[in-house]
Amino acid sequence: MDAYNVSVPMKLDAFVLNPDVCNQDARIAPITQPNYTFLRIDDFVLQNDTLNHVDVHNAKPAKLNPRVTSVLGSDDLADLRRNRLGVYLHWILPQMYRLGATATPDPSSSIDGSNDAPAPAPTYPNTPNRWLIIRKLGPNASTTLPNPLPSKCTVPAVDAWILESDTLQMIDDLNGFDLQVDVSPFISSTTANATHPDQTSIAEQAEVFIGKRRPAAGWTDTNPTAVSLSLLNSSNHLFADYQPHNSNVFSIIDTFPYYDENGHQAGTLTDAVADYYVMGWHGGLSSDPFRGGNLHQQVLSSLPLTLRDLDSFSDWLKSKSSINTICHGAMYGVEWHSQWTSTTQPKNVPANDFSSQLVKQMPVAIGTTTLDALLSYLKAHHEGEFENDIRLLGSLLRAQSDSVSGQQAGSDEVQNYNFSRSAGGKHYSLPVDTNNPAAPPSDKDKGTLKLLNQAQSLYDAASRMLELKKWDTFSLWWQFVTDIDNASSDIQKRYVTQAAALNKARADLTQVLADQTEAIKTLKDPLDGYLSQTPKEATLQEYGAQRDPFLFVGGLQSGWPVDFLDSLFIRLDAQIATYGQPDTGQMKEFNLNCLPTTMQATGLALVQEFLANAGPAPVTITTQLAATPTKYPPLYHDQGPGPDPPASMPWRDRWESTQPWFPLFMEWEAEYFHVDYSSWTLEERTARLDTCKNLRYGLTDQVKYDTLDTRTLSGRILLLPQPSFSLKGQLDQLFNSTPASILDPILSPDERQKLLQNVANLPFASAPFDGFADHLVTLARGSHLKPNIRVPATVGTTLQPLQEAYSESQKYGLGFTQIQAIGAQSDLTPYATLVQLGSDRPAFKPVTHGQFRITKLNIIDKFGQTACAIDPTPTTSGPPPIYPCISDYYEPQMLSTGYANVAIPQKAPGICEFMQVSPAINQPARLNAAFVINDSSQPSAYWRPITEWENPIWGWVVVNYVDNGIQFFTQEGNFYCEVRVAAANNPHPTSASAVWLPFKPTPTSQTQLDDLILQLTHPKNGEKYLKAFIQMINNAVPNSATAPAAYSQFINAIIGKPLALANMGVSLELACDAKTSQSTLTGQKNLPQPYALLEQSVGAQTRQYSFPFKLGDHDRVHDGLIGYFKAYDDPGQHAGKELDTSKFYTSYVDPDGVIVYPISNSGGYKFPTLSSFWLDPPAYQDQEPPGDHYIGTAKRYEDAMNNHLVDNVYGCIMDPFLPVNIYTSILPVKPLTLPNWAWESALKTMTAFFHFGPLMVTDDVSPYQPTPNQRVAATDDSTPAVKLPSLKVADWSWLQPYYPDPQTGSEFAALKVGQIDSRPRYERGPYTAVEGYLQMKSSMLVDSGKS
């Protein structure tokens, strides 16, 4: 049992190619292989991508297609490339060969002095490198033509070939071979190359080919010169799955030869029906995963593979014996016809069907994500049952809730999905005392933690910048090796100067990293005595950048098996039904002696199974398992996953008169029209598919674009087996998180279950327009030369430069050390001089703002079948338009005429070929938003963000409905002052109570509260201000979400909800220095940029981008902003009164332009704006003198960061239970929430009370007795009482003023309230007039144990 081999199933596909195939709706792509000449540095042939786009503009008719004819335009049959006509077999390598593993980096190998060692290259398992391909047909069958064959010619019933996939051949060895179909170009990436990069020849890479085909009869494995073959060794992402790139490696062409009496090919069959079987194994240099000395169970888990009946094979699972992996796949009933007629053409050609659908229906959508594009598509195309189900669920998928609040919050969340994220850095905090979360750390810990976070912040900034400088070094090297003028002495001097500057920049950053690493290590270790306990590590807010638009194509059935990503079911020998059956001649007939001896019994069983399964009436899996419960049929000999699929489903290993259609990648082109930034405005808009208003950029007028400022962008999109699976996860989450009461009216439980089972089969493909934004910053994607070789993990972890990469450039400052310093930062290439551009407008766009239309969209399958959304035939008027379904985010605005407001007027209203890309920064940025306080200890910054133990609230506001006034409380919840509207005959329209009364004062200063109170009591505008202020609060509170249960709801009947006053600051930070143009074309070098991201780039012809933003949104009940004051630009001149309280901004009161201003960007009003900044880390590290272990050398960096808050600090009036959201449209929505403990502690102190009296009572109050200064009165049965008519909604105390000492003023004592009824009575005098305060005995926060 220990020696049982492992049989791994593969999906086999068979594609028929004859000249008639080239004349169908789907075009057949000419063979376009990687051109590895483009890797050569000499002769300036280096290019950004070794693979050109597939060119199908002359792909039909067949006589124009170079894939099938050697003389373009010739009608002579002799000019057909008959060696390329036949059946193309391709097998999908299982998932186990597509999973890479990476060793843990060795920190000692870091090349830059930082903690971050370069990650070693992932290693991928060797693929099988020996393949036995078997073809079986009936030589005398009526389907085999010509019949009879020419004299003395025969065609064998079984023919077989061996592929040596990894056999290496140089171009000089391939005379007489067709280099496009007989071999495959390959990058000879081997362990030897990595170990000895100085011996690796880049020039030779263009001459390396692999793959060799031999007849199986008489073949023996001679272990020829070979490469280490794994899926990514070729540096070609299409290599494994695109048949034209892997001929005789993972695919083969059967031309149906017949032979003369000497065994030589005499001709080819014109017609045949064949069955195919493929077996692959690891021979020669290829390492079998089950021959590595590991437990079989461990191998199964790591790949991953699944074995049935585990209990029956426990000994095998625990064994480490060396066994063999055999991959196998079958395809039955493949029909070959050299010409197609109405009777011989396959019944089903899905590529033709889809090509026709693509042109006629245009099932294309553009969105921010797959889901966004899908829902936009379904809005326009109501197709099958399951598509309609998803459309009905659209609003829930967007919002995950059916409430207005949920949809609004969901809309904000959807907008956040529009951005990619990158690491924002680390932050340290001390563990919180759960019993007293508001308790601050010791002063020593506070100071140490501040130093630690300063050091970490500077370290993170330097680390990000070092990665950029590595890429800058690569860019400079690329520019040098592609510069045809690099022999000029002046140009060489420029390269020397630039290389020296980069060397210094990397050295400076490396020093910062080393210094701050030492400081961080020392500060956070409690053993060094700086901190009392080990700090907790957390992550800071990420940087974000706008994603590339997502393309969605409906009706496109994925070629990947629906269960491809599932753990693969494998079989041991004993689980094959035919294992152990005697050989009845199959070993010889099927050339099974080609297999290694230890595999031959398994191979015989698989061939016998292949023959058994070829019957005309296959049985279902359920039937077969019932007959042999411990034997299992091979995967793909079925009608799909599941025990009982519908009878109408085709068998996956039968051709059934159907050409395969396996969409593998898409190639696109788009024309981008840049629209000047001055034409855009940020405004609230309700889009077509969204009932919620969103803050988005729009055009202020009809589009006026610069006709010279247009670009053609292009890219390639791989179609991976993931979009449907991602959608299934979103549906799962929705169904699990949404109450049945909401879901049932839309879909029943059975319908939901059915949808989940079938969602993976939905025909669509979706992926981003990869490279869209890269083109706009003059960067290119593609497979290109990288000057460093990434060493496989088994060899080491360093990155070694190729000698040819620096042999010439080292003379000009770009030698071994500089190339090695590039590390892995070489994925994107600069345009340099390789991409031709106009010379009238700068191609580099730091911020995208424009419109684009698709001018090419080709969908190419793995055999080269191509569906063109736009007819590629050249015309004088240009390509015809395509009208995609456009999601809300990319939808252009409509003019009053019904036409889209786009760069080129559309032909009719209601149609639009343009997508609108609103302003988006083309590099990672972050919206820094925090509650802030003044900190005089900072060298220059006035404001700084609060720490987690600091309370951001500087006051509280409560509406007193009874007294028609506003009560102010301090940060701690202590009553401070009340401002009321006075009687009509009062000469002072508003009045303020004496501060602190009826309580004793606290020693804290309330300067900012005093300034606000002064505005409310101003003799000229005070009444207007107060009434507007009260109206703002009254209008806002009913619009907000429900307060937490701990807050006493019934208090709202007497006073309003308490609102917090807190200062917040906002800034816009770039993750790294602003990008610059990477085009070195003469015409582009000196073109001024109209706008720049950083202030230091501003010049006579360049302005800095200024981005408007909005605080809060009154339409969203999940937003807590009521209004805000602006801080002065020079807060230091207004210490303690930093806010300009003479006017406030709100959306809850009509503006008057004097006191009340709207939060709006229209009607003459403007949103506040942000300009981006970036700090160069070495410039902000103190070095003279360095502290102990460099501790404290990062103070200036934090100070400079904080200093950028000064332009945008606001005093907010906010609901303490809700976040204030900050909206920019250029970055994710940023919520800012008060810590719970801050409002909990204040509300426990605050209580409702109001002025009462003067009132006549029948009894005098009790004599004065000194009482403690309690904020919530404590009364009991022994407390003297005063009988008053009082509200019955709560228990009350009476705060009675006394004057025990005229010199000290009044004091208040708490008396119990003795309630009296309303019956008339005549009490004996004298009566007493009282005036004081009624105070509720309970605080505004209910004790959780009593609520």
Side-chain angles (χ1 to χ4, degrees):
M1 179 182 291
D2 289 357
Y4 282 159
N5 291 322
V6 174
S7 296
V8 178
M10 299 185 305
K11 179 71 172 70
L12 186 62
D13 290 308
F15 170 70
V16 173
L17 179 63
N18 62 33
D20 292 321
V21 176
C22 298
N23 299 326
Q24 306 290 308
D25 288 339
R27 297 177 179 238
I28 302 302
I31 295 176
T32 304
Q33 291 183 320
N35 187 346
Y36 293 134
T37 302
F38 292 161
L39 299 176
R40 294 173 55 181
I41 296 176
D42 57 334
D43 298 327
F44 305 104
V45 295
L46 188 66
Q47 292 293 318
N48 305 99
D49 194 354
T50 59
L51 184 61
N52 293 324
H53 274 209
V54 172
D55 184 2
V56 294
H57 79 277
N58 273 336
K60 67 178 184 179
K63 66 181 181 180
L64 297 178
N65 193 325
R67 181 166 179 174
V68 297
T69 183
S70 58
V71 179
L72 297 184
S74 173
D75 292 317
D76 190 343
L77 295 180
D79 293 326
L80 287 176
R81 298 179 185 266
R82 295 194 178 276
N83 67 310
R84 299 185 180 187
L85 304 180
V87 171
Y88 285 68
L89 288 178
H90 176 267
W91 42 95
I92 305 174
L93 285 172
Q95 184 78 348
M96 61 184 285
Y97 295 111
R98 301 169 185 263
L99 302 175
T102 304
T104 302
D106 178 7
S108 65
S109 65
S110 173
I111 62 174
D112 54 26
S114 71
N115 294 2
D116 301 321
T123 57
Y124 287 79
N126 286 135
T127 64
N129 59 345
R130 300 291 183 265
W131 301 92
L132 173 63
I133 297 92
I134 298 168
R135 184 200 67 206
K136 181 179 180 298
L137 52 76
N140 299 317
S142 60
T143 55
T144 303
L145 300 176
N147 191 4
L149 293 172
S151 176
K152 298 183 180 181
C153 290
T154 59
V155 59
V158 176
D159 209 349
W161 305 271
I162 289 288
L163 293 189
E164 298 173 357
S165 291
D166 61 347
T167 296
L168 186 148
Q169 301 175 86
M170 304 303 292
I171 195 168
D172 292 339
D173 304 326
L174 297 173
N175 291 331
F177 285 81
D178 186 334
L179 298 182
Q180 291 190 320
V181 296
D182 292 337
V183 289
S184 296
F186 192 77
I187 295 290
S188 181
S189 176
T190 64
T191 299
N193 291 342
T195 309
H196 304 290
D198 56 324
Q199 301 174 13
T200 300
S201 172
I202 298 174
E204 287 183 1
Q205 296 303 312
E207 303 175 359
V208 174
F209 296 85
I210 62 170
K212 194 165 188 176
R213 173 177 171 173
R214 298 173 183 269
W219 176 84
T220 56
D221 198 341
T222 58
N223 294 321
T225 303
V227 299
S228 177
L229 184 60
S230 65
L231 285 197
L232 292 190
N233 272 6
S234 73
S235 300
N236 173 9
H237 297 304
L238 299 175
F239 173 64
D241 300 305
Y242 190 44
Q243 186 280 324
H245 289 185
N246 58 43
S247 284
N248 288 339
V249 178
F250 303 126
S251 64
I252 191 173
I253 306 173
D254 182 9
T255 58
F256 292 90
Y258 56 81
Y259 305 95
D260 62 19
E261 58 186 334
N262 298 317
H264 299 141
Q265 181 175 335
T268 57
L269 298 177
T270 59
D271 301 85
V273 177
D275 297 338
Y276 292 96
Y277 199 65
V278 175
M279 285 189 288
W281 66 95
H282 297 266
L285 299 177
S286 182
S287 300
D288 192 307
F290 283 94
R291 291 204 293 263
N294 296 316
L295 291 174
H296 297 164
Q297 175 67 68
Q298 293 175 338
V299 178
L300 291 179
S301 301
S302 64
L303 288 177
L305 302 171
T306 297
L307 178 67
R308 297 179 175 94
D309 300 335
L310 293 176
D311 293 341
S312 301
F313 300 100
S314 58
D315 291 342
W316 183 90
L317 292 168
K318 298 174 184 176
S319 172
K320 295 183 179 179
S321 61
S322 292
I323 56 174
N324 303 294
T325 302
I326 302 181
C327 296
H328 62 96
M331 181 56 65
Y332 299 98
V334 181
E335 302 173 20
W336 158 247
H337 303 284
S338 60
Q339 291 183 337
W340 277 357
T341 66
S342 59
T343 57
T344 60
Q345 180 170 330
K347 297 177 183 177
N348 302 303
V349 185
N352 287 343
D353 297 338
F354 179 75
S355 294
S356 176
Q357 175 189 351
L358 185 60
V359 173
K360 293 177 181 178
Q361 299 181 11
M362 296 186 185
V364 177
I366 305 295
T368 57
T369 63
T370 293
L371 178 61
D372 185 40
L374 168 64
L375 294 176
S376 301
Y377 169 79
L378 294 179
K379 189 77 173 179
H381 297 267
H382 302 169
E383 297 183 336
E385 171 189 358
F386 303 116
E387 289 90 339
N388 191 55
D389 288 347
I390 295 173
R391 183 180 63 82
L392 293 173
L393 292 167
S395 60
L396 295 183
L397 283 167
R398 288 182 185 273
Q400 298 284 302
S401 170
D402 74 333
S403 67
V404 173
S405 171
Q407 290 180 17
Q408 291 167 335
S411 179
D412 291 345
E413 187 175 351
V414 167
Q415 182 175 339
N416 289 350
Y417 293 156
N418 299 348
F419 301 91
S420 61
R421 311 298 176 95
S422 57
K426 298 177 183 177
H427 180 79
Y428 294 96
S429 62
L430 293 176
V432 176
D433 183 352
T434 55
N435 296 322
N436 188 9
S442 67
D443 288 344
K444 180 183 177 184
D445 277 353
K446 285 182 185 178
T448 302
L449 194 62
K450 182 175 183 179
L451 292 171
L452 175 59
N453 282 317
Q454 288 172 347
Q456 185 65 54
S457 181
L458 182 56
Y459 175 91
D460 291 334
S463 180
R464 290 190 299 270
M465 197 57 199
L466 182 59
E467 295 305 295
L468 177 59
K469 289 302 177 184
K470 291 177 181 179
W471 185 88
D472 285 344
T473 305
F474 168 70
S475 176
L476 184 64
W477 171 82
W478 186 274
Q479 292 171 28
F480 175 81
V481 296
T482 58
D483 189 347
I484 61 175
D485 296 321
N486 65 16
S488 164
S489 59
D490 289 341
I491 290 178
Q492 289 172 353
K493 289 177 183 178
R494 175 170 61 84
Y495 283 113
V496 170
T497 301
Q498 289 179 299
L502 284 171
N503 289 342
K504 182 179 186 307
R506 290 196 313 275
D508 290 346
L509 289 164
T510 300
Q511 186 62 53
V512 172
L513 289 172
D515 294 348
Q516 299 311 314
T517 295
E518 184 173 348
I520 293 167
K521 182 179 179 181
T522 304
L523 286 167
K524 72 178 184 180
D525 189 348
L527 296 179
D528 285 327
Y530 285 92
L531 284 172
S532 61
Q533 52 187 322
T534 302
K536 296 189 304 180
E537 186 177 297
T539 56
L540 290 173
Q541 177 191 346
E542 298 165 312
Y543 293 93
Q546 177 73 50
R547 294 181 186 273
D548 288 330
F550 265 70
L551 172 69
F552 174 95
V553 181
L556 183 62
Q557 187 69 57
S558 174
W560 298 95
V562 294
D563 49 357
F564 182 74
L565 295 181
D566 296 344
S567 183
L568 188 63
F569 282 107
I570 52 97
R571 298 178 296 166
L572 303 185
D573 291 341
Q575 295 176 308
I576 302 172
T578 52
Y579 185 73
Q581 292 183 5
D583 174 22
T584 56
Q586 293 98 344
M587 284 290 298
K588 180 178 180 181
E589 182 180 13
F590 289 88
N591 295 282
L592 298 182
N593 56 342
C594 293
L595 298 172
T597 304
T598 54
M599 299 185 201
Q600 289 181 3
T602 306
L604 175 61
L606 290 173
V607 166
Q608 291 172 335
E609 180 183 62
F610 162 64
L611 296 174
N613 288 340
V619 297
T620 65
I621 293 177
T622 301
T623 303
Q624 182 165 338
L625 289 178
T628 54
T630 61
K631 311 292 183 180
Y632 296 92
L635 186 68
Y636 305 122
H637 183 63
D638 54 45
Q639 294 166 282
D644 294 298
S648 59
M649 290 287 289
W651 284 72
R652 295 197 285 178
D653 61 355
R654 292 179 177 268
W655 203 67
E656 296 188 347
S657 193
T658 301
Q659 280 274 58
W661 170 233
F662 194 117
L664 185 62
F665 61 99
M666 295 188 281
E667 292 180 338
W668 60 271
E669 284 185 1
E671 189 175 13
Y672 173 77
F673 296 73
H674 199 62
V675 180
D676 191 77
Y677 187 62
S678 62
S679 299
W680 300 83
T681 183
L682 190 64
E683 59 189 10
E684 289 184 316
R685 290 195 288 145
T686 301
R688 205 169 26 92
L689 304 181
D690 196 348
T691 58
C692 303
K693 287 185 177 180
N694 286 287
L695 196 69
R696 292 176 180 156
Y697 279 92
L699 293 166
T700 56
D701 204 346
Q702 187 161 354
V703 174
K704 296 176 182 177
Y705 76 98
D706 186 342
T707 56
L708 298 177
D709 205 355
T710 63
R711 292 276 311 282
T712 297
L713 317 178
S714 63
R716 182 180 296 113
I717 303 170
L718 299 183
L719 297 178
L720 302 176
Q722 281 138 357
S724 294
F725 299 91
S726 172
L727 178 58
K728 182 179 180 181
Q730 290 176 294
L731 288 170
D732 256 328
Q733 179 183 354
L734 175 68
F735 293 161
N736 290 329
S737 62
T738 307
S741 59
I742 295 174
L743 291 170
D744 288 346
I746 303 173
L747 294 178
S748 69
D750 289 343
E751 289 173 325
R752 297 199 294 270
Q753 184 62 33
K754 190 176 179 182
L755 176 59
L756 284 175
Q757 291 172 349
N758 289 276
V759 67
N761 295 319
L762 292 180
F764 73 85
S766 180
F769 276 111
D770 280 336
F772 186 94
D774 292 331
H775 279 296
L776 295 176
V777 289
T778 57
L779 300 176
R781 295 191 179 205
S783 298
H784 57 269
L785 175 67
K786 297 184 178 182
N788 286 311
I789 289 182
R790 293 177 61 91
V791 181
T794 53
V795 176
T797 59
T798 57
L799 292 145
Q800 294 294 329
L802 293 162
Q803 184 178 32
E804 287 182 48
Y806 62 86
S807 58
E808 183 66 22
S809 64
Q810 64 184 342
K811 304 172 186 176
Y812 310 105
L814 293 168
F816 178 93
T817 302
Q818 290 74 33
I819 301 303
Q820 189 180 43
I822 292 171
Q825 296 300 315
S826 55
D827 287 342
L828 298 175
T829 58
Y831 271 17
T833 57
L834 300 180
V835 179
Q836 296 305 304
L837 301 165
S839 59
D840 298 291
R841 300 292 183 271
F844 175 78
K845 310 296 182 188
V847 177
T848 301
H849 36 86
Q851 297 177 337
F852 73 96
R853 61 177 176 177
I854 300 171
T855 54
K856 182 178 86 172
L857 179 58
N858 294 338
I859 301 167
I860 300 104
D861 100 318
K862 71 176 183 179
F863 293 107
Q865 298 178 96
T866 304
C868 303
I870 299 174
D871 189 341
T873 304
T875 63
T876 57
S877 59
I882 182 172
Y883 300 109
C885 306
I886 307 173
S887 81
D888 299 346
Y889 192 82
Y890 290 110
E891 181 185 41
Q893 294 147 285
M894 303 300 290
L895 299 171
S896 58
T897 59
Y899 285 79
N901 185 14
V902 292
I904 297 177
Q906 300 298 278
K907 295 179 178 179
I911 61 172
C912 182
E913 63 178 317
F914 279 88
M915 280 60 66
Q916 184 162 293
V917 187
S918 59
I921 299 176
N922 285 326
Q923 65 182 84
R926 178 170 65 189
L927 194 65
N928 294 322
F931 293 110
V932 297
I933 59 173
N934 167 238
D935 186 348
S936 58
S937 67
Q938 297 184 121
S940 61
Y942 188 87
W943 302 101
R944 69 162 172 81
I946 62 165
T947 59
E948 55 265 37
W949 58 81
E950 290 177 320
N951 191 339
I953 299 170
W954 53 266
W956 291 87
V957 176
V958 176
V959 173
N960 181 346
Y961 295 123
V962 176
D963 291 331
N964 194 21
I966 293 179
Q967 295 177 347
F968 292 94
F969 294 78
T970 65
Q971 176 190 69
E972 301 81 9
N974 297 327
F975 175 74
Y976 182 65
C977 182
E978 181 176 39
V979 180
R980 292 185 289 171
V981 178
N985 59 353
N986 193 317
H988 302 287
T990 61
S991 64
S993 68
V995 297
W996 302 115
L997 291 181
F999 307 102
K1000 293 181 179 179
T1002 60
T1004 57
S1005 172
Q1006 305 297 326
T1007 311
Q1008 191 66 74
L1009 274 178
D1010 288 338
D1011 187 57
L1012 177 55
I1013 292 168
L1014 186 63
Q1015 299 295 338
L1016 294 168
T1017 57
H1018 192 278
K1020 181 179 179 181
N1021 293 322
E1023 181 181 17
K1024 185 178 180 181
Y1025 198 125
L1026 179 58
K1027 288 181 177 179
F1029 206 82
I1030 294 175
Q1031 184 185 359
M1032 171 186 70
I1033 297 172
N1034 289 341
N1035 291 343
V1037 170
N1039 192 57
S1040 63
T1042 305
Y1047 175 65
S1048 303
Q1049 293 297 318
F1050 62 86
I1051 295 179
N1052 281 335
I1054 303 154
I1055 65 169
K1057 180 190 288 187
L1059 302 176
L1061 299 170
N1063 294 340
M1064 64 176 61
V1066 187
S1067 66
L1068 178 59
E1069 176 196 2
L1070 301 182
C1072 287
D1073 194 2
K1075 292 182 177 180
T1076 57
S1077 176
Q1078 297 300 318
S1079 175
T1080 55
L1081 292 171
T1082 303
Q1084 284 283 320
K1085 285 181 182 178
N1086 300 317
L1087 291 177
Q1089 286 287 343
Y1091 293 92
L1093 284 171
L1094 296 179
E1095 185 179 11
Q1096 50 264 44
S1097 301
V1098 172
Q1101 301 181 64
T1102 303
R1103 291 174 287 174
Q1104 186 178 12
Y1105 276 106
S1106 181
F1107 302 101
F1109 69 97
K1110 182 186 178 186
L1111 288 176
D1113 189 338
H1114 75 286
D1115 286 329
R1116 283 162 160 73
V1117 297
H1118 64 276
D1119 188 274
L1121 184 72
I1122 310 300
Y1124 63 82
F1125 311 102
K1126 285 186 177 180
Y1128 291 107
D1129 293 336
D1130 52 348
Q1133 302 298 316
H1134 305 268
K1137 300 179 181 180
E1138 297 90 354
L1139 302 178
D1140 179 5
T1141 57
S1142 65
K1143 49 184 173 286
F1144 62 92
Y1145 298 77
T1146 183
S1147 297
Y1148 292 101
V1149 182
D1150 291 336
D1152 61 15
V1154 178
I1155 296 172
V1156 184
Y1157 287 79
I1159 302 176
S1160 174
N1161 206 35
S1162 60
Y1165 300 102
K1166 297 292 184 183
F1167 286 142
T1169 59
L1170 288 165
S1171 293
S1172 55
F1173 76 94
W1174 166 79
L1175 302 176
D1176 187 17
Y1180 291 92
Q1181 174 170 278
D1182 291 321
Q1183 296 293 345
E1184 297 294 340
D1188 182 27
H1189 300 287
Y1190 297 95
I1191 292 171
T1193 55
K1195 288 180 179 179
R1196 283 198 303 121
Y1197 182 79
E1198 182 190 59
D1199 184 61
M1201 286 283 292
N1202 293 342
N1203 202 34
H1204 281 278
L1205 295 168
V1206 72
D1207 293 331
N1208 280 291
V1209 172
Y1210 305 90
C1212 293
I1213 309 155
M1214 61 181 294
D1215 187 323
F1217 313 122
L1218 296 173
V1220 172
N1221 294 292
I1222 304 169
Y1223 302 88
T1224 63
S1225 188
I1226 61 169
L1227 285 171
V1229 177
K1230 171 68 177 177
L1232 206 54
T1233 307
L1234 292 169
N1236 286 355
W1237 62 264
W1239 58 260
E1240 284 176 350
S1241 59
L1243 294 187
K1244 286 178 181 177
T1245 302
M1246 294 168 66
T1247 184
F1249 71 98
F1250 52 86
H1251 181 268
F1252 204 79
L1255 182 69
M1256 196 74 69
V1257 297
T1258 57
D1259 296 323
D1260 196 2
V1261 297
S1262 61
Y1264 169 72
Q1265 295 179 2
T1267 58
N1269 184 28
Q1270 295 171 321
R1271 297 290 164 180
V1272 178
T1275 59
D1276 53 33
D1277 292 340
S1278 63
T1279 305
V1282 57
K1283 292 182 178 181
L1284 298 173
S1286 63
L1287 301 172
K1288 294 183 180 180
V1289 295
D1291 291 332
W1292 299 89
S1293 293
W1294 174 255
L1295 301 182
Q1296 174 63 40
Y1298 291 90
Y1299 294 87
D1301 185 349
Q1303 301 298 321
T1304 60
S1306 62
E1307 292 187 18
F1308 286 77
L1311 305 178
K1312 186 170 60 174
V1313 175
Q1315 296 186 5
I1316 59 175
D1317 57 42
S1318 58
R1319 291 177 298 174
R1321 55 172 58 87
Y1322 299 97
E1323 300 285 351
R1324 182 177 298 178
Y1327 293 171
T1328 304
V1330 294
E1331 185 173 10
Y1333 293 90
L1334 269 178
Q1335 181 187 35
M1336 190 180 294
K1337 286 185 177 181
S1338 61
S1339 69
M1340 293 187 184
L1341 196 69
V1342 175
D1343 189 325
S1344 59
K1346 298 177 182 179
S1347 58

